[in-house]
C-alpha cells in the first residue's frame, strides 16, 4: 500500500469547497461520450488513498471523499441536488454501543433458569432505549412470519398482546428466494410482532443457520456499534419503539427454553427438516431481560448532482445512479496495515459513476429525463444513506428508475454483466438493449439463493416503489483462461473488507472502460425511452411496493 501522494495545498483547496457556495456552469464541458480511463484511475487513487483512512461513515476521511465528489459534480456542470441548493444532504446518525457488562437474562416459572452473556445469548445495541428492560410472558410463534401472498400466518390463533414472541431464525425452505428474503427479514418480523401487540422478541438459532453462520462466529461482533439515521423528530429510522428489548439464543439455550413446553425444540427442528412450519403455542415461562447501550450522535452526507433533462415534461422524472462512498474505516488489529482502503468496495463504483456523469455532461443534446448522480453514505452500516434519501428525497420530481453500482470487479475483462432485479420490471429490457449496444451480454442472476437483490442500496428505492437494478460485472470472461467466478471468490476470500483491497491489486482498466460504457448506455436508454419503467404485475416486489405495473 502506497503512502499518500496528496499535497497539503491540494487538500486545502479541496476542503475550501465546503465553505463556498457552488456555482453551476452555464454550459457543459466540451468533450466526447467516450470513457476516459485516466479519469477513473485518478478517482480511484484518490478515494482509496491512505489519507482518507477507509472512509468510515461520519469520519473526516469520508467528509474529504464527499467534498471531492461534490467538486467533480461542480466541474461537470451538474446542478446541486442536495438540500438548501447544495450538493449535500447531511444526515444525522445515532451510533449505539452495547455496555458489555450490562446484559442480564432470566426465565421465571417451573424449572426457571438464567443465561450468561455472551456464552448463551446475544443482544444488540438499542438505538431507542439506553436502558432497555422487559418482563413479560412468552409465546412461541414458529418463524414469526405473516405473508398473504404465500398463504402463511405463524400468528394464527395466538394472542401475543403485551408478550414477548419467540421465533425461529430464517424461513421455510420452500419460500421463494428473493421474496422470502424480504418477508423473513428481521425488520419484517419485528413489524409482524408489533402489529399484533408484542413488546419484545427472542430469536432462536436453528441447526441450518448454525451450519451457515455458527453462533461462535457471532461473538466476534459483540463490540461492533450499530447505526441508524435519525429523523427530524429525533426518532431513529426503521426501528420499532414498541419492542422494548430483544435477544438471540444459541441452540443449547433454546432447547432449555422448551423443556416443559407442549413440544420440545428437537421435535420442532424435525419439522424444519421436513420443511413444515411448526404451529405456535404459549410457553410456560416469563422472561426478565435488561441491558444498556450508549448513544453517540454524528452526521455524514449523501452527495447529489443533477443533469437536468431536455424534455419540458419528462425532465420532472428522474433516473437515479447510486454508488456508496463509505467503507469500513480502520481495523482494530495489531497488524501494521490497518486501513481498509475499499478500492473495489466501492471506490470503483463511485469512480465509474463519476465518469458516467462526465460523459453525460459532454452531450450537446441532453437526455429527455433528468439524471441524478447520488453518492450515498452509510451503506456499510445497513444501507442507511440510500434509505434516508429514498424516504426523504431532495429532488422536485418523480424517481422512476435506480441503477446501483456496488463493487464492480475490475481485475479481468468480463464478457457479460449481471443486473440483479432486472427480471422484475421493464428495466430488464432497457438493460438488455444497453448491453448489446456496449458489445456484451446480460446474464441472469447466477446466485438466486444469495438474495443479492435485497442486499445493496438499490433495495431502499425498491421499497419506495421505484424499479431498480443492482449492476455488477459478470462472471464470463473474454479470455478462456480466466474463470470469472473464481476471480470473484478469490477477491471475497482475500481482499473483501480487508486492508488488501487497495490500489496495489492487478486492475484491468479495459474492464473499467467496458463497465462504464454499459452504465452510460443504460442511462441513455432509461432517460430517453418513451415510457418510464414499470414493474411486472406478477412480480412480488411490484405487487408489494410498485406504483406502475404492466403485464409481461
Amino acid at each position: 500500500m502506497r503512502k499518500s501522494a496528496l499535497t497539503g495545498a491540494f487538500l486545502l483547496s479541496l476542503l475550501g469547497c465546503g465553505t463556498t457556495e457552488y456555482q453551476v456552469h452555464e454550459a457543459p464541458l466540451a468533450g466526447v461520450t467516450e470513457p476516459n480511463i485516466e479519469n477513473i484511475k485518478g478517482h480511484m487513487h484518490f478515494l482509496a488513498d491512505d489519507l482518507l483512512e477507509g472512509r468510515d461513515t461520519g469520519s473526516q476521511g469520508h467528509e474529504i471523499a464527499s467534498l471531492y465528489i461534490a467538486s467533480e459534480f461542480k466541474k461537470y456542470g451538474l446542478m446541486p441536488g442536495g438540500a438548501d441548493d447544495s450538493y449535500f444532504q447531511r444526515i444525522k446518525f445515532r451510533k449505539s454501543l452495547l455496555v458489555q457488562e450490562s446484559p442480564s437474562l432470566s426465565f421465571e416459572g417451573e424449572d426457571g433458569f438464567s443465561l450468561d452473556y455472551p456464552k448463551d445469548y446475544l443482544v444488540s445495541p438499542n438505538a431507542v432505549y439506553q436502558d432497555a428492560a422487559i418482563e413479560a410472558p412468552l409465546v412461541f410463534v414458529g418463524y414469526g412470519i405473516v405473508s398473504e401472498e404465500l398463504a402463511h400466518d405463524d400468528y394464527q390463533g395466538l394472542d401475543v398482546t403485551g408478550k414477548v414472541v419467540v421465533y425461529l431464525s430464517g424461513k421455510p425452505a420452500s419460500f421463494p428466494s428473493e421474496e422470502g428474503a424480504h418477508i423473513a427479514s428481521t425488520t419484517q418480523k419485528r413489524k409482524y410482532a408489533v402489529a399484533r401487540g408484542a413488546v419484545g422478541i427472542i430469536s432462536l438459532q436453528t441447526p441450518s443457520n448454525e451450519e451457515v453462520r455458527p453462533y461462535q462466529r457471532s461473538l466476534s461482533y459483540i463490540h461492533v456499534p450499530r447505526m441508524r439515521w435519525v429523523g427530524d423528530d429525533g426518532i431513529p429510522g426503521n426501528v420499532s419503539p414498541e419492542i422494548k428489548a430483544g435477544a438471540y439464543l444459541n441452540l443449547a439455550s433454546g432447547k432449555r427454553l422448551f423443556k416443559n413446553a407442549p413440544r420440545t425444540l428437537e421435535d420442532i427442528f424435525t419439522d424444519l427438516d421436513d420443511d413444515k412450519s411448526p404451529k405456535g403455542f404459549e410457553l410456560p415461562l416469563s422472561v426478565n431481560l435488561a441491558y444498556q447501550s450508549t448513544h453517540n450522535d454524528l452526521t455524514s452526507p449523501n452527495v447529489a448532482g443533477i443533469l437536468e433533462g431536455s424534455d419540458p415534461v419528462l425532465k420532472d422524472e428522474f433516473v437515479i445512479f447510486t454508488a456508496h462512498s463509505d467503507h469500513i474505516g480502520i481495523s482494530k488489529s495489531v497488524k501494521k496495515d490497518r486501513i481498509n482502503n475499499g478500492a473495489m468496495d466501492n471506490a470503483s463504483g463511485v469512480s465509474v459513476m463519476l465518469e458516467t456523469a462526465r460523459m453525460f455532461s459532454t452531450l450537446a443534446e441532453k437526455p429527455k429525463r433528468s439524471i441524478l448522480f447520488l453518492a450515498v453514505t452509510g451503506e456499510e452500516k445497513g444501507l442507511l444513506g440510500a434509505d434516508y434519501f429514498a424516504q426523504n428525497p431532495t429532488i422536485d420530481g418523480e424517481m422512476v428508475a435506480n441503477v446501483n453500482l456496488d463493487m464492480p470487479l475490475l481485475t479481468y475483462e468480463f464478457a457479460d454483466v449481471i443486473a440483479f432485479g432486472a427480471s422484475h420490471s421493464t428495466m430488464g429490457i432497457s438493460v438488455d438493449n444497453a448491453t448489446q449496444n456496449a458489445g456484451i451480454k446480460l446474464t441472469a442472476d447466477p446466485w438466486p439463493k444469495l438474495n443479492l437483490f435485497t442486499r445493496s442500496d438499490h433495495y431502499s428505492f425498491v421499497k419506495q416503489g421505484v424499479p431498480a437494478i443492482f449492476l455488477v460485472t459478470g462472471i464470463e470472461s473474454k479470455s478462456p483462461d480466466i474463470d470469472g467466478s473464481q476471480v470473484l471468490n478469490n477477491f471475497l476470500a482475500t481482499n473483501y473488507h480487508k486492508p488488501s483491497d487497495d490500489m496495489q491489486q492487478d486492475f484491468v482498466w479495459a474492464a473499467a472502460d467496458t463497465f462504464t460504457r454499459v452504465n452510460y448506455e443504460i442511462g441513455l436508454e432509461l432517460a430517453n425511452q418513451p415510457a418510464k419503467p414499470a414493474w411486472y404485475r406478477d412480480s412480488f416486489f411490484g405487487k408489494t411496493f410498485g406504483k406502475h405495473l404492466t403485464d409481461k
Side-chain angles (χ1 to χ4, degrees):
M1 186 171 294
R2 66 185 178 85
K3 290 187 176 181
S4 170
L6 303 173
T7 67
F10 178 73
L11 275 177
L12 288 174
S13 66
L14 179 63
L15 290 170
C17 292
T19 62
T20 60
E21 187 172 341
Y22 289 104
Q23 300 295 320
V24 180
H25 288 277
E26 294 182 358
L29 302 178
V32 294
T33 53
E34 292 286 329
N36 185 322
I37 296 305
E38 295 305 313
N39 289 344
I40 296 175
K41 289 181 183 179
H43 298 322
M44 288 185 64
H45 274 285
F46 183 94
L47 295 170
D49 195 274
D50 278 2
L51 182 76
L52 274 62
E53 297 184 333
R55 309 188 307 276
D56 196 10
T57 305
S59 69
Q60 179 173 308
H62 182 262
E63 291 287 338
I64 294 172
S66 298
L67 286 168
Y68 177 83
I69 294 165
S71 70
E72 291 299 298
F73 286 167
K74 178 186 178 183
K75 185 165 63 178
Y76 307 151
L78 301 187
M79 297 168 54
D84 302 322
D85 295 322
S86 76
Y87 289 101
F88 304 101
Q89 181 188 42
R90 189 158 290 280
I91 308 170
K92 182 178 179 180
F93 292 101
R94 175 169 297 165
K95 183 185 290 186
S96 306
L97 188 65
L98 181 69
V99 178
Q100 292 295 313
E101 301 78 18
S102 68
S104 65
L105 175 60
S106 62
F107 298 96
E108 298 178 2
E110 184 180 355
D111 295 328
F113 59 95
S114 298
L115 295 177
D116 295 327
Y117 171 86
K119 179 174 70 71
D120 302 321
Y121 71 98
L122 298 174
V123 294
S124 296
N126 195 307
V128 179
Y129 305 108
Q130 289 185 286
D131 292 290
I134 194 168
E135 185 174 358
L138 298 174
V139 180
F140 173 62
V141 294
Y143 282 109
I145 294 172
V146 179
S147 171
E148 183 178 345
E149 296 84 0
L150 299 178
H152 187 103
D153 186 355
D154 284 325
Y155 285 86
Q156 187 174 9
L158 299 174
D159 179 12
V160 300
T161 303
K163 300 175 183 178
V164 172
V165 296
V166 178
Y167 58 69
L168 303 163
S169 57
K171 59 181 175 62
S174 59
F175 274 23
S177 179
E178 289 181 340
E179 294 89 332
H182 171 80
I183 291 169
S185 66
T186 300
T187 298
Q188 289 301 116
K189 288 189 178 186
R190 283 178 175 265
K191 289 181 178 179
Y192 308 142
V194 167
R196 289 152 184 81
V199 294
I201 59 173
I202 292 178
S203 177
L204 304 175
Q205 176 76 307
T206 65
S208 60
N209 278 11
E210 179 67 20
E211 289 182 10
V212 175
R213 186 183 178 88
Y215 180 85
Q216 195 66 27
R217 188 190 303 170
S218 299
L219 299 181
S220 302
Y221 301 96
I222 62 175
H223 296 283
V224 175
R226 302 293 173 88
M227 194 175 287
R228 292 286 186 271
W229 60 259
V230 178
D232 293 338
D233 56 4
I235 299 176
N238 301 322
V239 299
S240 301
E242 299 87 349
I243 300 297
K244 307 299 182 183
Y248 176 62
L249 274 57
N250 64 13
L251 284 172
S253 300
K255 291 176 182 178
R256 293 184 67 183
L257 194 61
F258 284 71
K259 180 179 179 182
N260 296 312
R263 296 185 68 193
T264 66
L265 195 55
E266 288 89 342
D267 287 341
I268 291 171
F269 287 158
T270 300
D271 286 350
L272 305 191
D273 292 337
D274 298 329
D275 199 24
K276 296 178 181 178
S277 295
K279 300 296 183 181
F281 47 79
E282 292 186 0
L283 290 165
L285 294 168
S286 62
V287 63
N288 195 324
L289 170 64
Y291 52 94
Q292 297 175 340
S293 304
T294 60
H295 291 169
N296 178 39
D297 291 343
L298 52 93
T299 68
S300 185
N302 289 331
V303 187
I306 296 172
L307 182 80
E308 187 176 37
S310 59
D311 187 278
V313 175
L314 296 183
K315 70 178 183 179
D316 291 331
E317 297 179 358
F318 285 80
V319 175
I320 303 174
F321 283 102
T322 50
H324 74 89
S325 53
D326 67 306
H327 195 51
I328 60 173
I330 301 175
S331 299
K332 294 181 179 179
S333 170
V334 296
K335 294 182 179 179
K336 184 177 181 180
D337 185 3
R338 299 186 297 122
I339 298 176
N340 296 285
N341 301 80
M344 208 83 76
D345 185 18
N346 185 35
S348 62
V350 173
S351 299
V352 168
M353 184 180 72
L354 287 174
E355 182 59 10
T356 303
R358 185 201 65 79
M359 291 168 67
F360 272 106
S361 76
T362 66
L363 290 174
E365 183 178 351
K366 296 296 184 287
K368 295 178 181 179
R369 290 184 177 84
S370 295
I371 302 178
L372 175 71
F373 298 93
L374 182 65
V376 294
T377 185
E379 189 272 349
E380 301 289 1
K381 301 298 188 291
L383 317 182
L384 299 182
D387 183 67
Y388 185 83
F389 184 92
Q391 296 192 45
N392 303 275
T394 55
I395 55 176
D396 186 16
E398 181 185 4
M399 300 181 290
V400 299
N402 172 234
V403 179
N404 185 46
L405 311 175
D406 188 357
M407 207 172 77
L409 289 178
L410 306 180
T411 53
Y412 70 101
E413 287 199 68
F414 56 91
D416 66 326
V417 293
I418 301 164
F420 299 106
S423 62
H424 291 288
S425 75
T426 58
M427 284 187 73
I429 300 172
S430 305
V431 175
D432 193 29
N433 292 337
T435 53
Q436 292 182 46
N437 292 340
I440 60 173
K441 66 180 183 178
L442 175 65
T443 295
D445 182 359
W447 311 291
K449 291 186 178 181
L450 296 181
N451 310 312
L452 293 175
F453 183 54
T454 65
R455 293 172 58 182
S456 193
D457 286 313
H458 60 284
Y459 195 55
S460 297
F461 292 91
V462 170
K463 290 187 290 185
Q464 301 305 314
V466 181
I469 59 165
F470 173 16
L471 186 69
V472 299
T473 48
I475 55 175
E476 183 177 326
S477 173
K478 292 181 179 179
S479 169
D481 300 326
I482 296 177
D483 181 345
S485 294
Q486 189 60 48
V487 173
L488 173 61
N489 290 334
N490 287 342
F491 174 80
L492 294 176
T494 59
N495 295 334
Y496 176 68
H497 280 197
K498 294 181 175 65
S500 53
D501 180 14
D502 61 11
M503 292 304 295
Q504 299 304 308
Q505 297 171 88
D506 293 326
F507 291 99
V508 175
W509 297 110
D513 180 281
T514 301
F515 193 69
T516 306
R517 290 175 186 272
V518 172
N519 195 50
Y520 172 77
E521 290 288 345
I522 291 173
L524 276 181
E525 284 279 334
L526 295 172
N528 285 324
Q529 64 191 30
K532 58 190 165 189
W535 293 99
Y536 290 130
R537 199 172 299 277
D538 62 354
S539 164
F540 166 82
F541 300 99
K543 289 185 291 186
T544 303
F545 304 114
K547 300 179 180 68
H548 306 291
L549 301 176
T550 187
D551 295 320
K552 274 192 174 181

